[in-house]
Amino acid sequence: MTSLITSEPASPGADISIVTVEALALRAAIAVPVKTSFGVMTDRPAVFLRVRDQAGAEGFGEVWCNFPSVGAEHRARLALSVIGPALVALGPLAAGQVFDRLMSRLHILAIQSGEWGPIRQVAAGLDMACHDLAARKAGLPLWRHLGGLSGRIRAYASGIGPEHPADVIARERSHGHTAFKLKVGFGEMTDRRSLEAARRTLGDAATLMIDANQGWTAPEAARLGADLARAYGLAWIEEPIAADRPSAEWLEVAGRIGTALAAGENMNAMAEFDAAIGSGCFGVLQPDAAKWGGVSGCLAVAKRALAAGISYCPHYLGGGIGLMASAHLLAAAGGPGLLEIDSNPNPWRDRLAGEALKVEAGLVTLSEAPGLGIDVDWDRLARGG
């Protein structure tokens, strides 16, 4: 799906004045479904965005669209019919204002439609694209354009399911990874079997985390989390309970588990992140730049988290454009965080970012190429390649 939204050129001298927005909804077949505690992905969807300003400069963004299964097409249509035109109508503005200005403009529509999530996600993707455009125009890699001091970041292999964890870990280790995250929440026996296989393959010293994908109740999380953290030396436990559970439950789980809790991919407002930072529950915060906030919001969260002694580790489980943006965000923010790189097959990631995100000894080094540092062949993508 591709289309154009256009406007007459705005007055010269503006920071960014977007005149064209395009969107692609794409799907790639995969041989093995990607399982979580709440659902299964039977293919890999992607929504990519391209924006152009009045001078013809362009930038690229990506929109979270994994669930429900019709999410990609829905979000692409939102981008083309509603949110893209809103960005064009805003006229000249700084890249750092895009997400907030869009959400302000669309606030009543979001209330009326109840489409808070999809609207935030498309606005986040457009914010990402505008930052890419601004950095390309400045001739700087996005991480440096945002004030980063080094393009060298730590990374970890994620999305490791219960089917063949030892084989996946061995493969990802051969690709340069030294830290790994397993998906759990499939029943205690299955989870323990996965972790046993992981530790047996890795040895005791390697960094290992788990993600329950909100799959436990608070009592289950307190009991299982404490036991698994102790038995397998876990660096963090991600979303052990539903993201919207009362703070008292999160505090109870945090107090009993005895290792860092991680969350943030399902937080949807700066007030939520501020509350999380102030709660004392979390050792890791994980906003997703394709899901909320774009580059603007996630960088602000990262800086607040780091100032409070909390690690910023961007969440990501999509295609190559959003993954590159996440890498640049981490480099710009600094700190001890790690970039999440999904271990499951994803052609949209590999074709766009595979060469730019080589992992060596657990580290990725971003280039000095402008913007996101990748060439995006839009016409080829539109043909499905």
Side-chain angles (χ1 to χ4, degrees), residues 43-70:
D43 58 20
R44 297 308 297 253
V47 173
F48 297 130
L49 304 174
R50 178 166 70 171
V51 300
R52 282 200 177 108
D53 71 3
Q54 71 276 21
E58 62 184 20
F60 300 91
E62 185 170 349
V63 180
W64 186 92
C65 62
N66 294 337
F67 298 98
S69 60
V70 296

Side-chain angles (χ1 to χ4, degrees), residues 117-130:
I119 289 173
R120 287 183 179 121
Q121 291 151 18
V122 176
L126 288 169
D127 180 283
M128 187 188 299
C130 288

Side-chain angles (χ1 to χ4, degrees), residues 2 24 26 348 351 377-385:
T2 182
L24 290 173
L26 303 168
W348 310 124
R351 293 173 196 174
D377 188 334
W378 189 260
D379 292 336
R380 183 180 176 187
L381 283 174
R383 295 192 298 269

Side-chain angles (χ1 to χ4, degrees), residues 18-336:
I18 299 301
V19 298
T20 299
V21 175
E22 297 171 82
L24 290 173
L26 303 168
R27 292 187 178 275
I30 52 175
V32 179
V34 179
K35 297 179 181 179
T36 71
S37 65
F38 57 80
V40 178
M41 296 170 64
T42 56
D43 58 20
R44 297 308 297 253
V47 173
F48 297 130
L49 304 174
R50 178 166 70 171
V51 300
R52 282 200 177 108
D53 71 3
Q54 71 276 21
E58 62 184 20
F60 300 91
E62 185 170 349
V63 180
W64 186 92
C65 62
N66 294 337
F67 298 98
S69 60
V70 296
E73 291 76 15
H74 173 56
R75 285 153 180 79
R77 289 185 182 278
L78 271 179
L80 294 171
S81 63
V82 178
I83 307 174
L87 176 61
V88 170
L90 285 174
L93 77 172
Q97 298 175 314
V98 169
F99 183 79
D100 283 346
R101 290 281 301 277
L102 277 173
M103 291 310 302
S104 177
R105 187 180 186 92
L106 298 167
H107 183 82
I108 300 302
L109 176 62
I111 294 173
Q112 184 69 29
S113 65
E115 293 268 28
W116 284 101
I119 289 173
R120 287 183 179 121
Q121 291 151 18
V122 176
L126 288 169
D127 180 283
M128 187 188 299
C130 288
H131 275 86
D132 181 37
L133 185 154
R136 288 176 190 263
K137 290 188 75 169
L140 294 171
L142 181 58
W143 65 267
R144 195 180 290 283
H145 189 60
L146 295 172
L149 301 178
S150 172
R152 199 165 174 80
I153 55 175
R154 299 167 67 210
Y156 72 96
S158 81
I160 302 171
E163 294 82 11
H164 305 286
D167 293 343
V168 175
I169 286 170
R171 183 193 70 213
E172 295 304 312
R173 202 178 209 179
S174 74
H175 293 165
H177 282 288
T178 60
F180 308 84
K181 188 173 75 182
L182 269 65
K183 287 189 174 295
V184 297
F186 302 102
E188 185 172 352
M189 295 265 305
T190 299
D191 295 345
R192 287 184 182 275
R193 188 163 53 245
S194 295
L195 283 162
E196 287 284 355
R199 270 294 173 224
R200 188 165 57 248
T201 304
L202 290 170
D204 294 335
T207 302
L208 183 63
M209 301 82 78
I210 59 172
D211 183 356
N213 288 124
Q214 309 180 78
W216 294 331
T217 65
E220 286 174 330
R223 178 183 64 83
L224 272 175
D227 193 12
L228 297 179
R230 187 168 50 247
Y232 302 105
L234 303 178
W236 79 61
I237 297 177
E238 188 171 329
E239 287 198 324
I241 62 176
D244 65 350
R245 295 306 300 164
S247 58
E249 288 190 18
W250 279 96
L251 283 166
E252 178 188 359
V253 172
R256 294 180 61 185
I257 279 182
T259 196
L261 292 188
E265 67 182 274
N266 292 307
M267 296 178 187
N268 294 297
M270 189 59 76
E272 287 186 50
F273 286 104
D274 283 340
I277 290 168
S279 70
C281 287
F282 301 100
V284 179
L285 275 185
Q286 305 167 296
D288 187 320
K291 198 171 189 182
W292 173 88
V295 170
S296 308
C298 290
L299 186 59
V301 168
K303 290 179 176 179
R304 296 185 195 194
L306 290 167
I310 298 170
S311 293
Y312 162 63
C313 295
H315 173 269
Y316 202 68
L317 198 75
I321 292 175
L323 181 58
M324 289 303 300
S326 300
H328 282 265
L329 271 164
L330 182 57

